[in-house]
């Protein structure tokens, strides 16, 4: 799995798979063309190029002394290894690559990338600095503008058009370039539109298929965040606040299916289908005529067609997303949602599995004691989605209020533990750099022997336990007495793997009404980490006071 993958060290085999020969590529291009699909190659520069630089380290800045591995796209220090913009050899090399690519691909466009280039080495590199000086550039950002423009001019001289990601708007845009708006909601592309450039919307927050497409408890592990079928369907690429001149420059929408988390073609199909249907809908239906219910009817036929062809597709749209929040002190509110309005949610609270005749979920459930909720969706007496099991357990902190509550803190006292997916909406995360402090008001003096908070480690994503946990108790929310503190070493914090831990502090019988706990960040991931120099992230789930 991607989060466990390490950069190979010098001498270790670097790749698992292989490469496409020109003959393979011609076959793929032909296969696609027979189906009216044009393949547009992306040769991403100056970053996302570790695979090339692992083989041709002479085209990285000479200040890069370390061995260059092939693991791309992990940010921070990993993203610093980019092509040297001061070395003429870099341009000769890339022009040779482009010659080959241009000869091979009949497409009208070539994507030159330009995303996520961290310029730390350019700042230190004498060749890059000399280029900045010679070309009268302001800074490293403008150096990227120079780099992109130079290769763009080359591609254009061969009769092709150039595309690139929205980072190109950070400096002077290459002439006539087409910009892909991807960061957040993709709005950086509008800076290009304002300069008369054509653009494409591919917002990561909506249209990146690498993200989860449904309730995460049922999904195979992938990146973070949810981009559901309905979320993509609801996306309106032409935004209300656009200037009228932008719309004619919008060439279309794109969904990005990055495959870091995919290990087989079936994994790619799973993330692609049926969301590709929603992308087609937003791209092709006339404005104002989109309809979720009629789309779903069409989609069911489309999915039957996929099934017939043996193409794996996700049934995530039939699964239930739960949200458990504090109703009033002592009570919890359980909300169950399914993005398909044409299914019924049925549930039990007696431990049995729900059937088509179990209680129909009509509105939020209010509970005030330990409850096991089991729910599933049904249509025409048939179970449609996965079985959702919510074991809700009370402790002295459950459904109690926080002093200075932030949105989302409820999940710390909602009686439910998080899963191994730290973005499943059962894990709370705070600021990265500052210690985070929480005070729970137990509403009356309570005796306590143990304080526990759950935390999760996901090594590959830089999610780790805190440097320290301190717990204090008070009767008046003014004078606090420390009841215990845990402190961890780097070795204890930066462990590999994906697992949940309970951080527990035992105390002699203590009484208090206010319980304050403070978490200190572990700081940056160490140099031998897969994410060197990136701030580690803390995710905590349930607070358990016993
Ligand atoms: C991107 O996702 N880095 C374009
Ligand atoms: Zn350089």
């Amino acid at each position: 799995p991607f989060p466990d993958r390490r950069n190979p060290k010098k001498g270790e085999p670097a790749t698992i798979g292989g490469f496409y020969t020109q003959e393979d590529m011609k076959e793929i291009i032909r296969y696609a063309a027979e189906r009216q699909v044009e393949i547009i190659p992306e040769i991403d520069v100056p970053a996302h190029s570790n695979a090339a630089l692992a083989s041709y380290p002479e085209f990285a800045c000479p200040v890069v002394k370390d061995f260059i591995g092939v693991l791309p796209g992990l940010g921070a220090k990993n993203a610093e290894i980019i092509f040297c913009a001061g070395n003429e050899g870099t341009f000769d090399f890339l022009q040779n690559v482009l010659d080959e690519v241009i000869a091979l691909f009949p497409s009208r466009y070539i994507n030159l990338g330009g995303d996520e280039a961290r310029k730390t080495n350019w700042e230190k590199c004498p060749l890059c600095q000399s280029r900045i000086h010679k070309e009268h550039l302001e800074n490293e950002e403008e150096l990227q503008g120079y780099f992109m423009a130079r290769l763009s001019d080359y591609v254009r001289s061969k009769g092709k058009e150039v595309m690139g990601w929205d980072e190109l708007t950070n400096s002077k845009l290459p002439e006539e370039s087409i910009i892909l708006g991807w960061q957040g909601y993709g709005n950086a592309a509008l800076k290009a539109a304002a300069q008369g450039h054509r653009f494409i919307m591919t917002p990561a927050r909506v249209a990146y298929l690498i993200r989860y497409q449904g309730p995460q408890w049922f999904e195979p592990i992938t990146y973070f965040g949810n981009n559901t079928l309905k979320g993509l369907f609801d996306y309106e690429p032409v935004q209300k606040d656009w200037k009228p001149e932008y719309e004619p420059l919008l060439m279309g929408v794109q969904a990005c299916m990055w495959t870091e988390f995919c290990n087989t073609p079936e994994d790619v199909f799973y993330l692609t289908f049926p969301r590709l249907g929603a992308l087609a809908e937003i791209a092709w239906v006339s404005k104002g005529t989109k309809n979720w219910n009629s789309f779903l009817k069409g989609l069911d036929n489309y999915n039957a067609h996929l099934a017939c062809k043996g193409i794996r597709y996700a049934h995530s749209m039939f699964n239930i997303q739960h949200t458990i929040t504090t109703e009033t002190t002592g009570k919890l509110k359980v909300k169950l949602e399914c993005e398909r309005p044409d299914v019924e949610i049925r549930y039990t609270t007696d431990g049995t599995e729900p059937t088509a005749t179990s209680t129909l979920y009509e509105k939020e459930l209010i509970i005030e004691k330990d409850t096991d909720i089991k729910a599933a969706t049904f249509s025409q007496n048939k179970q449609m989605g996965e079985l959702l099991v919510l074991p809700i357990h009370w402790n002295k902190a459950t459904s109690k209020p926080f002093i200075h509550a932030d949105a989302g803190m409820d999940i710390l006292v909602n009686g439910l533990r998080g899963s191994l997916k730290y973005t499943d909406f059962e894990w709370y995360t705070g600021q990265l750099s500052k210690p985070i402090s929480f005070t729970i008001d137990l509403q009356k003096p309570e005796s306590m022997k143990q304080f526990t908070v759950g935390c999760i480690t996901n090594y590959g994503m830089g999610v780790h336990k805190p440097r320290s946990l301190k717990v204090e108790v008070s009767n008046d929310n003014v004078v606090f007495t420390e009841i215990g503190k845990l402190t961890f070493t780097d070795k204890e914090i930066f462990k590999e793997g994906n697992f949940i831990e309970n951080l527990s502090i035992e105390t002699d019988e203590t009484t208090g009404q206010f319980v304050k706990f403070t978490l200190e960040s572990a700081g940056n991931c160490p140099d031998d980490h897969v994410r060197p120099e990136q701030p580690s992230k803390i995710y905590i789930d349930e607070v358990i006071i016993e």
Side-chain angles (χ1 to χ4, degrees):
F2 181 71
D4 297 338
R5 230 172 280 170
R6 304 299 301 258
N7 237 320
K9 298 203 169 61
K10 201 166 185 163
E12 285 177 359
T15 50
I16 300 165
F19 51 87
Y20 293 122
T21 63
Q22 290 213 3
E23 289 315 307
D24 293 334
M25 209 59 243
K26 282 178 191 157
E27 186 188 340
I28 294 168
I29 293 164
R30 195 165 52 238
Y31 181 92
E34 283 163 6
R35 289 156 182 83
Q36 339 310 328
V37 172
E38 180 181 83
I39 298 184
I40 299 172
E42 178 185 5
I43 302 298
D44 202 344
V45 293
H48 282 287
S49 48
N50 286 29
L53 292 171
S55 297
Y56 298 91
E58 62 269 36
F59 302 129
C61 293
V63 292
V64 177
K65 303 288 185 213
D66 295 339
F67 170 74
I68 300 172
V70 293
L71 197 60
L74 286 176
K77 232 179 151 195
N78 293 293
E80 288 175 355
I81 300 171
I82 64 178
F83 280 105
C84 178
N87 179 353
E88 277 304 295
T90 297
F91 294 94
D92 292 341
F93 170 75
L94 287 172
Q95 284 175 13
N96 284 336
V97 170
L98 286 166
D99 283 344
E100 194 174 327
V101 166
I102 288 165
L104 197 51
F105 289 84
S107 73
R108 181 163 157 191
Y109 310 99
I110 305 276
N111 183 346
L112 290 177
D115 56 322
E116 298 182 301
R118 200 168 183 225
K119 319 262 176 0
T120 352
N121 285 318
W122 282 8
E123 285 163 17
K124 292 185 275 193
C125 171
L127 302 179
C128 286
Q129 290 305 314
S130 146
R131 174 85 70 197
I132 288 177
H133 185 72
K134 215 170 91 210
E135 299 291 335
H136 308 292
L137 305 170
E138 279 287 320
N139 51 34
E140 288 72 25
E141 214 48 69
E142 285 199 1
L143 182 58
Q144 173 157 355
Y146 166 90
F147 192 106
M148 300 311 297
R150 188 163 159 180
L151 287 174
S152 172
D153 288 348
Y154 186 76
V155 167
R156 279 160 47 80
S157 77
K158 304 283 169 185
K160 301 278 189 185
E161 297 193 60
V162 168
M163 296 177 156
W165 301 104
D166 63 35
E167 283 92 337
L168 296 196
T169 62
N170 294 337
S171 50
K172 188 170 176 292
L173 285 165
E175 224 174 302
E176 298 284 328
S177 54
I178 297 158
I179 299 305
L180 295 147
W182 76 276
Q183 297 182 78
Y185 289 97
N187 289 333
L190 301 180
K191 286 202 277 174
Q195 298 170 55
H197 283 252
R198 289 164 296 164
F199 67 108
I200 293 159
M201 291 304 264
T202 177
R205 296 285 286 273
V206 182
Y208 267 36
L209 304 185
I210 188 173
R211 294 193 180 205
Y212 289 101
Q213 58 192 311
Q216 292 183 21
W217 282 15
F218 307 107
E219 294 298 317
I221 192 149
T222 185
Y223 207 48
F224 57 79
N226 282 18
N227 282 345
T228 61
L229 180 74
K230 176 86 162 56
L232 182 55
F233 175 87
D234 284 340
Y235 178 65
E236 174 50 61
V238 182
Q239 305 280 310
K240 284 199 185 68
D241 58 356
W242 282 13
K243 296 202 174 124
E245 58 268 32
Y246 295 172
E247 187 172 343
L249 295 168
L250 177 67
M251 295 177 75
V253 287
Q254 171 173 313
C256 294
M257 179 56 254
W258 308 114
T259 55
E260 284 99 315
F261 286 82
C262 297
N263 296 312
T264 64
E266 287 69 34
D267 293 349
V268 181
F269 295 156
Y270 180 84
L271 288 173
T272 305
F273 300 108
R275 280 184 292 184
L276 193 63
L279 182 79
E281 197 78 354
I282 61 178
W284 294 334
V285 300
S286 311
K287 225 176 184 172
T289 63
K290 243 180 359 185
N291 179 293
W292 178 234
N293 289 314
S294 67
F295 169 75
L296 287 176
K297 286 203 179 75
L299 191 75
D300 287 340
N301 291 331
Y302 177 68
N303 288 343
H305 176 80
L306 294 174
C308 220
K309 293 192 132 183
I311 295 170
R312 185 176 173 217
Y313 66 94
H315 292 69
S316 320
M317 59 184 156
F318 292 109
N319 292 336
I320 299 170
Q321 179 66 54
H322 65 272
T323 313
I324 306 182
T325 49
T326 306
E327 165 71 358
T328 51
T329 299
K331 292 184 183 175
L332 292 170
K333 183 163 74 180
V334 182
K335 189 171 170 186
L336 304 177
E337 292 170 286
C338 175
E339 64 181 356
R340 288 202 61 135
D342 54 349
V343 298
E344 292 166 342
I345 297 176
R346 294 186 178 268
Y347 70 96
T348 67
T349 53
D350 62 2
T352 61
E353 292 214 0
T355 65
T357 55
S358 297
T359 312
L360 180 68
Y361 173 89
E362 286 173 304
K363 63 176 183 357
E364 289 118 343
L365 312 176
I366 308 297
I367 56 169
E368 45 196 325
K369 60 178 194 326
D370 283 8
T371 309
D372 283 340
I373 296 174
K374 293 187 178 174
T377 55
F378 294 86
S379 173
Q380 293 168 355
N381 293 324
K382 189 167 160 259
Q383 185 173 331
M384 303 303 290
E386 303 281 337
L387 172 68
L388 173 70
V389 179
L390 300 174
I392 303 165
H393 289 301
W394 243 259
N395 68 74
K396 285 176 178 167
T398 306
S399 83
K400 296 287 163 51
F402 284 93
I403 311 280
H404 309 303
D406 248 359
M409 266 188 201
D410 276 23
I411 50 181
L412 294 174
V413 291
N414 72 355
L416 191 68
R417 300 302 302 260
S419 71
L420 276 172
K421 295 181 180 110
Y422 69 97
T423 59
D424 70 358
F425 306 118
E426 283 300 334
W427 293 95
Y428 181 85
T429 187
Q431 298 147 315
L432 293 173
S433 47
K434 285 194 242 154
I436 33 175
S437 224
F438 308 80
T439 305
I440 299 178
D441 178 358
L442 300 177
Q443 307 253 285
K444 65 176 175 19
E446 292 272 11
S447 66
M448 63 196 88
K449 284 193 287 214
Q450 192 182 50
F451 175 97
T452 300
V453 62
C455 79
I456 187 165
T457 291
N458 185 321
Y459 176 84
M461 302 305 276
V463 175
H464 289 285
K465 65 183 172 194
R467 172 69 59 198
S468 69
L469 163 70
K470 184 169 78 175
V471 181
E472 297 160 282
V473 172
S474 166
N475 282 313
D476 55 8
N477 196 27
V478 179
V479 181
F480 280 88
T481 310
E482 184 175 317
I483 61 165
K485 184 168 178 177
L486 300 174
T487 304
F488 303 105
T489 62
D490 269 10
K491 192 155 175 265
E492 290 165 323
I493 295 166
F494 296 107
K495 284 188 185 155
E496 293 195 29
N498 183 196
F499 53 90
I500 295 169
E501 275 176 289
N502 282 343
L503 309 182
S504 283
I505 288 174
E506 313 268 337
T507 163
D508 296 335
E509 191 92 20
T510 306
T511 303
Q513 180 177 338
F514 300 91
V515 181
K516 175 152 90 180
F517 64 105
T518 305
L519 301 161
E520 231 181 339
S521 155
N524 285 359
C525 298
D527 266 351
D528 61 353
H529 195 280
V530 74
R531 292 179 177 272
E533 285 187 10
Q534 282 183 54
S536 66
K537 299 182 274 262
I538 302 172
Y539 281 78
I540 52 173
D541 71 339
E542 205 62 6
V543 174
I544 302 165
I545 296 175
E546 283 169 329

